[in-house]
Every structure is written in structure tokens, then in C-alpha cells.
Amino acid sequence: MNKSDNTNRYWRSNLTLVAVLLSIWAIAGFGLSIFLIEPANHFKIGSVGFGFWMAQQGSIFVFVLLVLTYALTMDWIDRKHQVND
Amino acid sequence: MTNFHCLLAVSDPALPWTWAFIAITFSLYLYIGWRSRVTETAGFYVAGQGVPAIANGAATAADWMSAASFIGMAGLISFSGSDGSVYLMGWTGGYVLLALLLAPYLRKFGHYTVPDFIGARYYSETARIVAAICAIFISLTYVAGQMKGVGVVFSRFLEVDLAVGVCIGMAIVAFFAVLGGMKGITWTQVVQYFVLILAFIIPSVAISFQLTGDPIPQRAFAYSDISHRLNEVLIGLGHEAYTTPFTKFGSSWNVFLITAALMFGTAGLPHVIVRFYTVKDVRAARYSAVWAIIFIALLYTTAPALGLFARYNLIDSMHESKIERVELTNANSEPRSFHFPAQQAAAFAAIEAAQDKNAAAIKKGLREPTAITYFLNSKTGKPLDWATRWQNTGLLKFEDLNQDGQINLTLIQHDGGTKHSELAKIDRDIIVLSTPEVAGLPPWVIAMVAAGGLAAALSTAAGLLLVISSSLAHDLYIRFFEPDATEARKLFVGRVAIIFGILVAGYFGIYPPGFVGEVVAFAFGLAAASFFPAIFLGIFSKRVNRAGAVTGMIVGLLFTSTYIVLCTADKVLPFLFDAPILAKENWLFGISPQGIGTIGMAINFALTLIISSVTAPPPAEVIELIESVRIPSGSGAAIEH
């Protein structure tokens, strides 16, 4: 496998990961918390509507997990393609 | 804005504590600034790129969380209800974009500033100048808001003049920023993070426990009955329920556009991006992003709980409070005091006369000559001293409209006008700062909140000032006027530029132009419409070229700023216009000016891609640069150029 093939594959894995994580970002942030907030509010978390809770709490927890998942997975991808320092 | 006529009427038990806390934290900042003084430009601009990931995470969080996040946001949410989510998600969701799409690659690029990247990637000095000017404009509007925050804290908690407060703040920032540059700023920001987060969490936990019996605000927010209690109270007073969506921004479409503008704008804010240049390598950049969002989330998940608790507490303590006496103070005469109910009739006659004179003065553009202060007792008979103190700052005002001797918060239509209650004015900045007093927490907690507000304002101000300095000195002056300057000379120019930035920021802090509040929110729209597409496409597309990016940035910026000016002409250009040129009912597709940055960004993206596809691709060395930033290995020290 030559160097540029490896680089291309590395970049494609990175793009796939980013695309997956940003889809979750959009579903949590724009989907459940904005466009679907009213139907989501029919379900409850504790005593508040699920949509309201996602908009003010849940989405932020999701964002933290996304950034963490990115850093951990990229470590693994870096090692696999030997592009780490 | 500050009115000191009757300041001594109610002395503040928190005052000695506040002086002590501020003296301790400020000495700490000065000490760190002195310890981390630098002698070379790499230290001055990017802290020598040796900052550990967790420290950079804390510094980024402090840099990111401004006076607006600390003092303003919980208040904004408190008054926006469910729609307050635009700020919560906008400012944290943008961070995900920054961490996944920009930060690691910019660290690999390794130069000092955002204009450096734009200039190199688009092989264009024009692009660099446009970027540097955008960075200066965004940072200046933003820093003026920080200085105003410093002034508010000083004038309320230390009872000194706003101008004196701003000057003290300027002197502290000047000391550690001029001596230590990015290195001094980074290590003070680490300390400031811990000061501000403790100052935010401690009162939140106390008030959560007091109201719900659960000390964890995040859990009490969802699992206690507090949201039901607040909804019932609000509906009873004629408001909409707190948890109903789209009460503040109208439609899901507008909420989406505003959230998106804040997200993409946040990701494009230069003072936050440069923080990622300070770490060792790409991996450290990713992990410092993880630490930073954890540190940020701690405050951002507490803020909505605090907003909800504070709204409930404020209404509960002020509603149906009894007027004990009213005091009218005037610069030229002795204060006049009227006790209730004995002198009630005389009081209202005097109040009406004073209000007429005040209204006449306001019409002539003068300050109100007479301050009307209501001394209140809550419905349980407790004196509301905090309400008196906040009235002294002019941020809180009452008016007993039906003259029944008590303050009622029910929304009622008076004289056929719009509905309002007897709470004549409440500035949203009060919410966080007053929460401990309203909840009756000990004075040292109140002092801590003051120190936390200052830490939040100063840490962000310092980061912004560094961007202003680097844009002026490094991107513009040295590059175009003294390209052969020695290291010592470059450092000197950087320091002069930072002092210039501090003076301008201080001026705007003392004499805030009316538009500061408006413009700070719009800084995000402008960053979204200019920087985000240029940096993102610069990394993820090899085809995007100079012609496309420069046109996209300029058109995105012009479109967004024009729309904002049209919608807010009365506030941005008060000497030319009395009313917005584009009134609310004529907004383009009903899009609010806060959300227009998203449209500006879409235009920028479309133009950049279309123009790039019909013009020549970028030269080979730029393709090499793109390939190099995509690979983490080899991210050594910043390359001098």
C-alpha cells in the first residue's frame, strides 16, 4: 500500500466519522430540540417534556459525548493508518 | 446608568467580603501574569505551544464563557423560557463544529492567527486583510461588552463609579496581557475558570436545595415539581407557561436560524480558535476540546436550572409585596420619604409630579432628575433589601399603578395600552447577580458571585485583546510595513497593539454606544457569514480557490451586516434614524436579524462553491498545504514566516 493510498483512506475514515457524529448532532440539536419539540414534549423526562429537556439539557450532554467519541475514535484511526506522531 | 443618590440608605453586608474576594483573585492574576512573562513572539502569540490539554481546556472554557455567559445567559433564559435553548445549544453546539471541523486542522497548520490561515490557504493578501479586519471588528464589539460587564459588577458590588471599575479592570488585564501575552493569558484563564465555575455552581446548588430539596440543579430541573409550580404561577399572572416552545422567537424556523447562526458563529470566533494553536500537537488539540466542552457543559447545564429557579424565586418574593415607604431623591434637594399607609396619598402626588418631570427630561435626552425608590416588604413581612439596592443601580424599577400600596406582578392592561405589570423594569443581567441575595444566602456567596462575574469578563476580554493585538501587529503592521523586524521589535509592536486594544475597549466600556448589546449578538452572525465557510472549505475542499473564497466572504459579510443595520437602524445609527428602516412586519420571510447570519453563511457557501468551480483551481503548493493539514503527524512548533 503506498503512502498516498493510505492517506486517502485515512481521510475517508475521518470524513465518515465526522458525518456520523454530525448527523447525531443535527438530530439532537435541530430535530428533537426544535422542529420536533412539540411532539417530543408528549413524552416525559421526570416531570418535564422530553423536547424541552433535550433543548435545555439533553442536547448539551449529547454534544459532550460527540466530542469525546471523536477524540477517542481518531486516536484509533490515527494508529491504524500510522499518521500519529 | 448608576445612581448613587441614596446608596447609603441600605448598607450591603456583602461589601467587605466582596473587597476581600476581589483583592485575593486579582493578586493571584497579577502574580501569574508576572510569573509567565515572555520574551519571544511564539510565547506572546501562542504560549510557546506547550500548554497541556487539560489546562488548555480550562483556559478555552474561561475564554469562551464571557460576561454574557456568566452574568447574562441565565437571565436571558429565565425570560425566554423554552426558547432560551437557542443560547444553550447555539453556544455549545458550535463547539462540536469547532472540535470536529476546524480545531485539529488549524493546529496542524500551526501559524499564529486565523488570518494567517486564510491568507496562506487562499494565497492572497486581500483575503488576509479582509480576515484581519473581520477579526478586529468582531473582537472589538465583543470586548466592549466584557468591559461593560466589569463596570456593572464594580458599580453594584463595590459601590464605586462604573468608570473607576472599568479602569481597574483595564489595568489588571493590561498587566498580565502585556507582560505575558498568550502565555500569561492562558495561565490566568485556567485560574479564572475555577473561580467562575465555583461562583456559579455554589449559589445554584444552594438555591436548588432551598426550592426543591435536591442539591443537584440538573436533576432538580427535570425531576422536581418546580417547573410545574412556575408554569402555574406564570399562567396565573397572565404570562405564557415557561416550558411552552416558540413564545419568544415566534416560530420553529426562526429558532432554528438563530441557533444555527450562533453555532456557526461560535465555531468561527477567532479568539477561541487561536486557543487551539497553543497545545503541543493535533491529538492534544482534540483532547483539549474534550476537556473544554466538559468544563463548559458544567456551567451550561446549570444555567437553565438557575434561570428557572431564579424566575420562580423573583416572582415569589416580589409578588404582592407591601410598600413600606417610598423615597424620592434629587441631586439638588434633601431626599423626601413617605411612609405607607399614613402618607400614601401625598406619596402618589409627589411620585406623579416627579414622573412628569422625569419624562420631560428623558424627552430632551437628559438623565432622570429624580430617583424613585420603593422600600418593600415581602408578603411574609421580610424587608426586600436587595430590591432597594438594585433600584439604586437603575436596573430594577417599580411603579404602583393602581396605587393600592402593594406591588402586583399580574399583567394588566392600563389606559388601553400594552399589558404590563407593576414591575416597571427588570434588566436580565440582574438574575444571576441577585440570585444569592434573593435566596437569602450568606454574604460571602454574594461576594463570590461578584468575583466570578469579574473572572468571566476579564478572561474573555484578555483573549479578545490578544486577537486584536495579533491582527493589528502580526497580520497587518509587521507584514506590510516592517516585514524584516527583529524578534524584539515584533514583540514590542504586539505589546503596543494590545495596549491600544485595552484603551479602546475601556472607552467603550465607560461610554457604551447604544448598540453594544445589539452588536455583540450580531458578532456571531458576522463570524458565521465570513469565517466559518472560508476555514471549513479551506480544509475540506481542494477545489475552492481565492476568487471563490474572497467573493463569498465579502458578499456574506455585506449581506449580513446590511440586513442587521436595516433592522436595527434606530439603535446602531441613533443620530440618523428614529425607527428601524426594516420594521418587524417587513422582515425578509420573517427572519429576525439574529438569525440572518445563517442565510449569509448559506450565500457565502453557494457563491464560494460556484465561483471556484468555474475558475482555475488553486496552485500546487496550496494543494500540498491542504494535504498536510489533513494529516496529524509532524505538527511541530509554529513555523515562523
Side-chain angles (χ1 to χ4, degrees):
Chain A
M1 187 167 67
N2 68 35
K3 188 162 175 276
S4 113
D5 256 5
N6 180 45
T7 318
N8 285 338
R9 269 186 235 188
Y10 169 76
W11 186 242
R12 265 202 306 277
S13 323
N14 180 20
L15 289 183
T16 313
L17 176 64
V18 167
V20 170
L21 295 178
L22 286 186
S23 313
I24 301 172
W25 167 82
I27 293 167
F30 299 137
L32 292 170
S33 303
I34 298 178
F35 292 112
L36 300 173
I37 188 169
E38 279 160 334
N41 271 340
H42 292 300
F43 303 93
K44 298 280 172 202
I45 288 254
S47 61
V48 298
F50 179 62
F52 173 74
W53 184 81
M54 274 306 286
Q56 301 218 336
Q57 300 269 300
S59 57
I60 302 173
F61 296 133
V62 172
F63 296 156
V64 173
L65 290 178
L66 291 177
V67 177
L68 178 65
T69 312
Y70 179 73
L72 292 170
T73 317
M74 284 310 285
D75 271 355
W76 178 70
I77 296 179
D78 282 357
R79 271 198 304 275
K80 194 173 136 197
H81 295 269
Q82 294 171 336
V83 292
N84 50 332
D85 272 327
Chain B
M1 71 192 292
T2 320
N3 183 338
F4 294 99
H5 298 313
C6 43
L7 209 57
L8 299 174
V10 179
S11 79
D12 185 347
L15 198 59
W17 283 101
T18 311
W19 277 114
F21 272 55
I22 288 177
I24 294 168
T25 51
F26 277 27
S27 330
L28 200 59
Y29 306 155
L30 291 177
Y31 172 73
I32 295 168
W34 177 249
R35 283 292 301 271
S36 34
R37 57 197 188 280
V38 292
T39 49
E40 71 221 339
T41 45
F44 192 75
Y45 287 129
V46 290
Q49 299 184 318
V51 181
I54 183 164
N56 191 52
T60 310
D63 199 344
W64 182 280
M65 293 191 286
S66 55
S69 284
F70 187 93
I71 303 173
M73 191 178 63
L76 266 175
I77 297 165
S78 200
F79 289 107
S80 315
S82 180
D83 285 3
S85 62
V86 301
Y87 307 105
L88 294 164
M89 291 199 297
W91 288 328
T92 53
Y95 198 80
V96 177
L97 297 171
L98 179 57
L100 269 56
L101 301 177
L102 312 181
Y105 315 104
L106 289 175
R107 173 60 194 88
K108 176 62 195 296
F109 173 69
H111 293 251
Y112 294 157
T113 65
V114 172
D116 269 338
F117 177 75
I118 304 265
R121 168 60 183 84
Y122 296 112
Y123 43 103
S124 156
E125 294 305 314
T126 318
R128 175 193 293 271
I129 295 170
V130 172
I133 291 171
C134 286
I136 293 170
F137 178 76
I138 292 169
S139 304
L140 261 184
T141 52
Y142 214 95
V143 83
Q146 307 307 317
M147 285 299 169
K148 184 184 159 239
V150 172
V152 169
V153 173
F154 268 100
S155 66
R156 165 59 191 83
F157 290 99
L158 295 179
E159 303 184 356
V160 298
D161 196 61
L162 191 128
V164 177
V166 171
C167 290
I168 300 174
M170 279 163 61
I172 300 286
V173 174
F175 185 83
F176 63 74
V178 172
L179 269 185
M182 190 56 145
K183 200 171 160 206
I185 288 172
T186 301
W187 292 107
T188 17
Q189 280 173 338
V190 173
V191 177
Q192 282 162 336
Y193 174 75
F194 290 98
V195 174
L196 81 88
I197 199 70
L198 280 176
F200 201 84
I201 301 281
I202 289 176
S204 302
V205 166
I207 192 174
S208 173
F209 185 69
Q210 203 177 59
L211 279 182
T212 68
D214 184 344
I216 300 173
Q218 287 84 345
R219 194 170 61 191
F221 177 82
Y223 286 92
S224 75
D225 62 345
I226 186 75
S227 55
H228 284 292
R229 272 148 70 195
L230 178 60
N231 279 346
E232 273 170 28
V233 171
L234 284 173
I235 291 167
L237 296 176
H239 291 271
E240 306 222 40
Y242 189 83
T243 54
T244 306
F246 315 133
T247 53
K248 162 106 176 170
F249 298 116
S251 64
S252 57
W253 175 236
N254 245 337
V255 170
F256 164 72
L257 288 176
I258 297 172
T259 309
L262 291 177
M263 282 182 176
F264 290 100
T266 295
L269 285 180
H271 71 286
V272 182
I273 294 178
V274 295
R275 288 239 46 97
F276 291 95
Y277 288 101
T278 63
V279 294
K280 190 168 102 251
D281 53 22
V282 172
R283 185 166 179 269
R286 292 188 201 127
Y287 278 94
S288 70
V290 175
W291 284 114
I293 195 168
I294 291 173
F295 290 139
I296 291 167
L298 213 52
L299 188 140
Y300 271 66
T301 54
T302 310
L306 182 64
L308 189 148
F309 302 152
R311 182 82 177 267
Y312 181 85
N313 238 6
L314 268 181
I315 295 176
D316 190 52
S317 58
M318 290 192 295
H319 184 49
E320 293 176 344
S321 53
K322 300 255 182 314
I323 302 172
E324 192 230 334
R325 65 191 171 94
V326 172
E327 198 170 83
L328 276 71
T329 31
N330 192 311
N332 315 320
S333 56
E334 287 292 297
R336 287 175 294 159
S337 192
F338 300 90
H339 286 267
F340 278 54
Q343 298 163 299
Q344 194 160 337
F348 286 116
I351 290 173
E352 273 172 23
Q355 278 174 336
D356 288 344
K357 276 188 197 152
N358 282 352
I362 295 269
K363 234 182 207 153
K364 280 190 231 153
L366 302 170
R367 287 178 58 171
E368 295 189 348
T370 309
I372 304 164
T373 313
Y374 284 78
F375 290 74
L376 304 172
N377 286 326
S378 73
K379 51 183 177 274
T380 54
K382 241 177 44 197
L384 300 180
D385 290 341
W386 58 268
T388 316
R389 287 194 288 268
W390 279 105
Q391 286 178 76
N392 291 341
T393 64
L395 300 179
L396 180 70
K397 281 180 184 164
F398 298 100
E399 188 180 2
D400 187 4
L401 295 162
N402 59 3
Q403 310 197 339
D404 64 350
Q406 65 172 358
I407 295 299
N408 193 306
L409 298 192
T410 313
L411 285 179
I412 296 173
Q413 204 158 12
H414 294 274
D415 311 327
T418 50
K419 283 184 168 184
H420 48 101
S421 76
E422 294 182 344
L423 178 60
K425 177 185 175 185
I426 179 160
D427 191 290
R428 60 183 186 233
D429 285 353
I430 293 181
I431 293 285
V432 168
L433 297 178
S434 72
T435 294
E437 301 170 284
V438 179
L441 299 180
W444 63 267
V445 177
I446 299 163
M448 201 166 178
V449 171
L454 287 174
L458 293 178
S459 57
T460 306
L464 290 162
L465 287 166
L466 195 87
V467 168
I468 296 170
S469 153
S470 64
S471 298
L472 280 175
H474 172 81
D475 293 321
L476 296 176
Y477 181 79
I478 292 288
R479 195 161 185 91
F480 292 105
F481 297 100
E482 278 189 53
D484 322 315
T486 61
E487 189 68 13
R489 173 80 185 155
K490 283 183 190 167
L491 201 60
F492 172 75
V493 175
R495 284 182 167 141
V496 170
I498 221 165
I499 291 171
F500 168 79
I502 290 170
L503 293 177
V504 175
Y507 177 82
F508 283 133
I510 297 170
Y511 305 102
F515 60 85
V516 164
E518 305 294 316
V519 179
V520 169
F522 299 140
F524 290 92
L526 296 179
S530 58
F531 281 140
F532 185 79
I535 305 174
F536 170 73
L537 290 174
I539 298 161
F540 285 82
S541 161
K542 288 185 184 170
R543 187 64 185 77
V544 163
N545 62 16
R546 171 171 62 195
V550 173
T551 321
M553 267 205 294
I554 292 176
V555 175
L557 206 63
L558 285 179
F559 170 82
T560 308
S561 46
T562 309
Y563 189 80
I564 291 170
V565 170
L566 287 177
C567 292
T568 58
D570 54 326
K571 290 185 180 108
V572 183
L573 306 165
F575 39 92
L576 289 178
F577 300 99
D578 297 330
I581 301 168
L582 210 57
K584 194 169 180 177
E585 53 277 13
N586 299 329
W587 283 354
L588 192 67
F589 305 112
I591 300 168
S592 75
Q594 294 108 303
I596 198 69
T598 308
I599 309 291
M601 181 181 75
I603 294 174
N604 183 340
F605 266 115
L607 272 179
T608 307
L609 291 171
I610 294 169
I611 293 174
S612 296
S613 69
V614 295
T615 44
E621 66 266 23
V622 171
I623 304 286
E624 254 171 56
L625 169 75
I626 301 168
E627 279 170 355
S628 131
V629 299
R630 289 178 177 186
I631 302 294
S633 49
S635 49
I639 310 123
E640 186 47 64
H641 58 105

